[in-house]
Structure formats: structure tokens, C-alpha cells
Coordinates of all heavy atoms in Angstrom, one line a residue:
T1 N 102.7 -57.2 -139.4 CA 102.7 -58.4 -140.3 C 101.5 -58.4 -141.1 O 100.4 -58.2 -140.5 CB 102.9 -59.7 -139.4 OG1 104.1 -59.6 -138.7 CG2 102.9 -60.9 -140.3
P2 N 101.5 -58.7 -142.4 CA 100.3 -58.8 -143.2 C 99.3 -59.7 -142.6 O 99.6 -60.8 -142.1 CB 100.8 -59.2 -144.6 CG 102.2 -58.9 -144.5 CD 102.7 -59.0 -143.1
D3 N 98.0 -59.4 -142.7 CA 96.9 -60.2 -142.3 C 96.6 -61.1 -143.5 O 95.9 -60.7 -144.5 CB 95.7 -59.3 -142.0 CG 94.5 -60.2 -141.6 OD1 94.7 -61.4 -141.2 OD2 93.3 -59.7 -141.7
I4 N 97.1 -62.3 -143.5 CA 96.8 -63.2 -144.6 C 95.7 -64.2 -144.4 O 95.8 -65.0 -143.4 CB 98.2 -64.0 -144.9 CG1 99.4 -63.1 -145.2 CG2 97.9 -65.0 -146.1 CD1 100.7 -63.8 -145.3
T5 N 94.7 -64.1 -145.1 CA 93.5 -64.9 -145.0 C 93.5 -66.1 -145.8 O 94.3 -66.1 -146.8 CB 92.2 -64.1 -145.3 OG1 92.4 -63.5 -146.6 CG2 92.0 -62.9 -144.3
P6 N 92.8 -67.2 -145.5 CA 92.8 -68.4 -146.3 C 92.4 -68.0 -147.8 O 91.5 -67.3 -148.0 CB 91.7 -69.3 -145.6 CG 91.8 -68.8 -144.1 CD 92.0 -67.4 -144.2
G7 N 93.3 -68.6 -148.6 CA 93.0 -68.4 -150.1 C 93.8 -67.3 -150.6 O 93.9 -67.2 -151.9
A8 N 94.4 -66.4 -149.8 CA 95.2 -65.3 -150.3 C 96.7 -65.6 -150.5 O 97.1 -66.5 -149.8 CB 95.0 -64.1 -149.3
P9 N 97.3 -64.9 -151.3 CA 98.8 -65.2 -151.5 C 99.5 -65.0 -150.1 O 99.2 -64.0 -149.3 CB 99.2 -64.1 -152.4 CG 98.0 -63.8 -153.3 CD 96.9 -63.9 -152.3
C10 N 100.4 -65.9 -149.8 CA 101.1 -65.8 -148.5 C 102.6 -66.0 -148.6 O 103.3 -65.7 -147.6 CB 100.5 -66.9 -147.5 SG 100.8 -68.6 -148.1
W11 N 103.1 -66.4 -149.8 CA 104.5 -66.6 -149.9 C 104.9 -66.7 -151.4 O 104.0 -67.0 -152.3 CB 104.9 -68.0 -149.2 CG 106.4 -68.3 -149.1 CD1 107.1 -69.2 -149.7 CD2 107.4 -67.5 -148.4 NE1 108.4 -69.2 -149.4 CE2 108.6 -68.1 -148.6 CE3 107.2 -66.4 -147.6 CZ2 109.8 -67.6 -148.0 CZ3 108.4 -65.9 -147.0 CH2 109.7 -66.5 -147.2
I12 N 106.1 -66.4 -151.7 CA 106.7 -66.5 -153.0 C 108.0 -67.2 -152.9 O 108.8 -67.0 -151.9 CB 106.8 -65.2 -153.8 CG1 107.6 -64.2 -153.0 CG2 105.4 -64.6 -154.1 CD1 108.0 -62.9 -153.7
D13 N 108.4 -67.9 -154.0 CA 109.8 -68.4 -154.0 C 110.3 -68.5 -155.4 O 109.5 -68.6 -156.4 CB 110.1 -69.6 -153.1 CG 109.4 -70.8 -153.5 OD1 108.9 -70.9 -154.7 OD2 109.3 -71.8 -152.6
L14 N 111.6 -68.5 -155.5 CA 112.2 -68.5 -156.8 C 112.9 -69.9 -157.0 O 113.7 -70.3 -156.1 CB 113.3 -67.4 -156.9 CG 114.3 -67.4 -158.1 CD1 113.5 -67.2 -159.4 CD2 115.4 -66.5 -158.0
M15 N 112.6 -70.6 -158.0 CA 113.4 -71.8 -158.4 C 114.4 -71.4 -159.4 O 114.1 -70.9 -160.5 CB 112.5 -72.9 -158.9 CG 113.2 -74.2 -159.2 SD 112.1 -75.5 -159.7 CE 111.6 -74.9 -161.3
T16 N 115.7 -71.5 -159.1 CA 116.8 -71.0 -159.9 C 117.8 -72.0 -160.3 O 118.1 -72.8 -159.4 CB 117.3 -69.7 -159.3 OG1 118.4 -69.2 -160.1 CG2 117.9 -70.0 -157.9
S17 N 118.5 -71.8 -161.3 CA 119.6 -72.6 -161.7 C 120.9 -72.2 -161.0 O 122.0 -72.9 -161.1 CB 119.8 -72.7 -163.2 OG 119.9 -71.4 -163.7
N18 N 120.9 -71.0 -160.4 CA 122.1 -70.5 -159.8 C 121.7 -69.6 -158.6 O 121.4 -68.4 -158.8 CB 123.0 -69.7 -160.8 CG 124.4 -69.4 -160.3 OD1 124.6 -69.0 -159.1 ND2 125.3 -69.5 -161.1
T19 N 121.8 -70.1 -157.4 CA 121.4 -69.4 -156.2 C 122.4 -68.3 -155.9 O 121.9 -67.2 -155.4 CB 121.3 -70.3 -155.0 OG1 122.5 -71.0 -154.7 CG2 120.2 -71.4 -155.1
D20 N 123.6 -68.4 -156.2 CA 124.6 -67.4 -155.9 C 124.3 -66.2 -156.8 O 124.3 -65.0 -156.3 CB 126.1 -67.8 -156.2 CG 126.5 -68.8 -155.1 OD1 125.9 -68.8 -154.0 OD2 127.4 -69.6 -155.4
T21 N 124.0 -66.4 -158.1 CA 123.7 -65.3 -158.9 C 122.4 -64.6 -158.5 O 122.3 -63.4 -158.5 CB 123.5 -65.8 -160.4 OG1 124.7 -66.3 -160.8 CG2 123.0 -64.7 -161.4
A22 N 121.4 -65.4 -158.1 CA 120.1 -64.9 -157.6 C 120.3 -64.0 -156.4 O 119.7 -62.9 -156.3 CB 119.1 -66.0 -157.3
K23 N 121.1 -64.5 -155.4 CA 121.3 -63.7 -154.2 C 122.0 -62.4 -154.6 O 121.6 -61.3 -154.0 CB 122.1 -64.5 -153.2 CG 121.3 -65.6 -152.6 CD 122.1 -66.2 -151.3 CE 123.3 -66.9 -151.7 NZ 123.9 -67.5 -150.5
Q24 N 123.0 -62.4 -155.4 CA 123.7 -61.2 -155.8 C 122.7 -60.2 -156.4 O 122.6 -59.0 -156.1 CB 124.8 -61.5 -156.7 CG 125.7 -60.3 -157.0 CD 126.5 -59.8 -156.0 OE1 127.2 -60.6 -155.3 NE2 126.5 -58.5 -155.8
F25 N 122.0 -60.7 -157.4 CA 121.0 -59.8 -158.2 C 119.9 -59.2 -157.3 O 119.8 -58.0 -157.3 CB 120.4 -60.7 -159.3 CG 119.5 -59.9 -160.2 CD1 119.9 -59.1 -161.1 CD2 118.1 -60.0 -160.0 CE1 119.0 -58.4 -162.0 CE2 117.2 -59.3 -160.8 CZ 117.6 -58.5 -161.8
Y26 N 119.2 -60.1 -156.7 CA 118.0 -59.6 -155.9 C 118.5 -58.8 -154.6 O 117.8 -57.9 -154.1 CB 117.1 -60.7 -155.5 CG 116.4 -61.2 -156.7 CD1 116.8 -62.4 -157.3 CD2 115.3 -60.6 -157.3 CE1 116.1 -63.0 -158.4 CE2 114.7 -61.0 -158.5 CZ 115.1 -62.2 -159.0 OH 114.5 -62.7 -160.1
G27 N 119.7 -59.2 -154.0 CA 120.2 -58.5 -152.9 C 120.5 -57.1 -153.3 O 120.2 -56.1 -152.5
D28 N 121.2 -56.9 -154.4 CA 121.5 -55.5 -154.9 C 120.3 -54.8 -155.3 O 120.2 -53.6 -155.1 CB 122.5 -55.6 -156.0 CG 123.9 -56.0 -155.5 OD1 124.2 -56.1 -154.3 OD2 124.8 -56.3 -156.3
L29 N 119.4 -55.4 -156.0 CA 118.2 -54.8 -156.6 C 117.2 -54.3 -155.5 O 116.7 -53.2 -155.6 CB 117.5 -55.6 -157.6 CG 116.4 -55.0 -158.4 CD1 116.8 -53.8 -159.2 CD2 115.7 -56.1 -159.3
F30 N 116.9 -55.2 -154.6 CA 115.9 -55.0 -153.6 C 116.4 -54.7 -152.2 O 115.5 -54.5 -151.3 CB 114.9 -56.1 -153.6 CG 114.1 -56.4 -154.8 CD1 113.9 -57.6 -155.4 CD2 113.6 -55.2 -155.6 CE1 113.1 -57.8 -156.6 CE2 112.9 -55.4 -156.7 CZ 112.6 -56.6 -157.3
G31 N 117.7 -54.8 -151.9 CA 118.2 -54.7 -150.6 C 117.9 -55.9 -149.7 O 117.7 -55.7 -148.5
W32 N 117.9 -57.0 -150.3 CA 117.6 -58.3 -149.5 C 118.8 -58.8 -148.7 O 120.0 -58.7 -149.3 CB 117.0 -59.4 -150.4 CG 115.6 -59.2 -150.9 CD1 114.8 -58.1 -150.6 CD2 115.0 -60.0 -151.8 NE1 113.6 -58.2 -151.3 CE2 113.7 -59.4 -152.0 CE3 115.2 -61.1 -152.5 CZ2 112.7 -59.9 -152.9 CZ3 114.3 -61.7 -153.3 CH2 113.0 -61.1 -153.5
E33 N 118.6 -59.4 -147.6 CA 119.6 -60.2 -147.0 C 119.2 -61.6 -146.9 O 117.9 -61.9 -147.0 CB 119.9 -59.6 -145.5 CG 120.5 -58.3 -145.6 CD 120.7 -57.7 -144.2 OE1 120.0 -58.1 -143.3 OE2 121.5 -56.7 -144.1
F34 N 120.1 -62.6 -146.7 CA 119.7 -64.0 -146.9 C 120.1 -64.9 -145.8 O 121.2 -64.7 -145.1 CB 120.3 -64.5 -148.2 CG 119.9 -63.7 -149.4 CD1 120.8 -62.7 -149.9 CD2 118.7 -64.0 -150.1 CE1 120.4 -62.0 -151.0 CE2 118.4 -63.3 -151.2 CZ 119.2 -62.2 -151.6
Q35 N 119.3 -65.9 -145.5 CA 119.7 -66.9 -144.5 C 119.4 -68.3 -145.2 O 118.4 -68.5 -145.9 CB 118.8 -66.9 -143.3 CG 119.1 -65.7 -142.4 CD 118.2 -65.7 -141.2 OE1 117.0 -65.9 -141.3 NE2 118.8 -65.3 -140.0
T36 N 120.4 -69.2 -145.1 CA 120.3 -70.5 -145.7 C 119.9 -71.6 -144.7 O 120.5 -71.7 -143.6 CB 121.6 -71.0 -146.3 OG1 122.0 -70.0 -147.3 CG2 121.5 -72.3 -147.0
G37 N 118.8 -72.3 -145.0 CA 118.3 -73.3 -144.0 C 119.2 -74.6 -144.0 O 120.0 -74.8 -144.8

């Protein structure tokens, strides 16, 4: 697991108008799998 020190980037997220489109696109492009909270 990355050693994330204070002040360093630790997370990213996408604010999107269409989560289904985003999951399809990034899932296919980057090989991501998804869990919905």
C-alpha cells in the first residue's frame, strides 16, 4: 500500500453526470471493478 504522508495526494474521485457511462468507460479502459456504497 502506498506510503501517503500528510500533504500528499491520497485519493481521487470523479463527479459525473452519468455513473453508468463512467463505470462502463473506465472499467473497460483501465480494468476497474466497482462497489456501490
